[in-house]
Amino acid sequence: GAVASRPGRFELAHGGTLFLDEVGTLSTAVQAKLLRALEAREIERVGSRRATPVDFRLISATNEDLESRVRQGSFREDLYYRINTIPIRIAPLRDRVDDIPLLADHFLAKFSSRHGKPRRKLSAPVVGRLKQHYWKGNVRELEHVIEMLVLFAESEEVSESDLPRALRETTAPGPGAGKPFAKAVEEFERKRLADAIHEAGGVKARAARQLGLDSNQIKYLCRKYRL
């Protein structure tokens, strides 16, 4: 359908910033094309035989565990290290509950203005329910819930009865329940590796033998945990 010559996203980002959201969902074919564009700093339009130079800052985001995807072989290792130059890790919403009232207030103002509704106020029990919820969808899930409350709550103050059933049925987490399994595994892995390197006097090859790892495995883990 390329019946006219039009610049694509990479070309439009020349001299600026290109943001790629959910980069972890790219197919292996697209991963190869992205890596080639990043390495060569040039792209080719569909149907063109001439390369076009591009120079841009790349910012990518994902909620996928790319390190795990690399180990599984579903995400290219060379692309991972190419885009992982300056990683910024943001904790999931459930691990920063103090942000929830601030974000909720922001979304209340945003959607009240957008939909021409009176400004709502969240009751204390509602704020408590929001803080207890697991928020698997993170900030986007919270944004969706607040928009729904703006649209359908009947009184100025939002009560628990206005909440969707999933939030009304939320119970307070038990001790240690807030830490995701993957995070707990990472913490154990990092500590075990750091202890082994310390016991080996800083000699990583010796630490690898103690842990039953080969040279490639310990190099990968040391890069992963910056040891």
Side-chain angles (χ1 to χ4, degrees):
V3 296
S5 179
R6 290 185 294 182
R9 296 290 188 266
F10 283 74
E11 202 170 342
L12 290 171
H14 180 70
T17 300
L18 177 66
F19 175 62
L20 298 180
D21 198 8
E22 300 296 350
V23 70
T25 62
L26 295 178
S27 67
T28 53
V30 175
Q31 289 176 36
K33 293 178 181 179
L34 174 59
L35 179 64
R36 187 161 57 248
L38 294 176
E39 294 289 354
R41 292 183 175 272
E42 61 182 27
I43 52 95
E44 290 183 5
R45 289 183 179 179
V46 175
S48 173
R49 296 181 180 179
R50 185 178 65 181
T52 301
V54 288
D55 182 20
F56 54 84
R57 177 193 299 110
L58 176 67
I59 299 176
S60 54
T62 183
N63 60 6
E64 298 275 345
D65 183 350
L66 292 187
E67 293 164 348
S68 175
R69 294 279 303 278
V70 168
R71 291 195 295 269
Q72 295 167 5
S74 58
F75 196 87
R76 293 180 63 112
E77 186 174 18
D78 45 6
L79 176 59
Y80 172 72
Y81 290 119
R82 187 69 179 79
I83 65 176
N84 195 42
T85 307
I86 305 176
I88 301 174
R89 300 187 184 277
I90 300 177
L93 188 58
R94 59 185 171 272
D95 290 344
R96 43 191 177 97
V97 294
D98 290 340
D99 290 349
I100 291 176
L102 298 173
L103 289 167
D105 190 62
H106 165 72
F107 292 136
L108 283 170
K110 172 183 175 180
F111 291 118
S112 295
S113 175
R114 175 180 296 181
H115 299 297
K117 295 286 187 178
R119 178 67 180 269
R120 308 293 188 193
K121 179 183 177 182
L122 302 180
S123 66
V126 167
V127 173
R129 290 288 183 180
L130 295 180
K131 286 185 173 182
Q132 292 172 9
H133 190 59
Y134 190 72
W135 298 115
K136 186 175 181 180
N138 289 298
V139 175
R140 287 176 181 170
E141 183 185 357
L142 174 63
E143 182 179 20
H144 173 74
V145 167
I146 298 299
E147 183 175 20
M148 186 204 69
L149 294 176
V150 168
L151 288 171
F152 297 112
E154 296 182 352
S155 60
E156 182 180 343
E157 183 175 75
V158 177
S159 65
E160 288 184 274
S161 61
D162 295 314
L163 291 171
R165 185 174 62 181
L167 272 80
R168 292 199 306 272
E169 294 175 352
T170 296
T171 56
K179 183 177 293 185
F181 177 77
K183 181 66 175 177
V185 170
E186 282 187 0
E187 290 178 359
F188 171 81
E189 203 171 50
R190 190 185 193 286
K191 185 178 185 305
R192 184 69 185 92
L193 182 62
D195 289 346
I197 293 173
H198 176 73
E199 292 168 4
V203 181
K204 293 179 181 178
R206 189 184 304 165
R209 289 194 294 272
Q210 291 176 1
L211 296 170
L213 303 174
D214 61 33
S215 59
N216 289 330
Q217 288 173 321
I218 197 164
K219 285 177 183 177
Y220 168 79
L221 290 171
C222 287
R223 286 197 302 266
K224 177 180 178 179
Y225 297 117
R226 302 181 183 278
L227 296 174

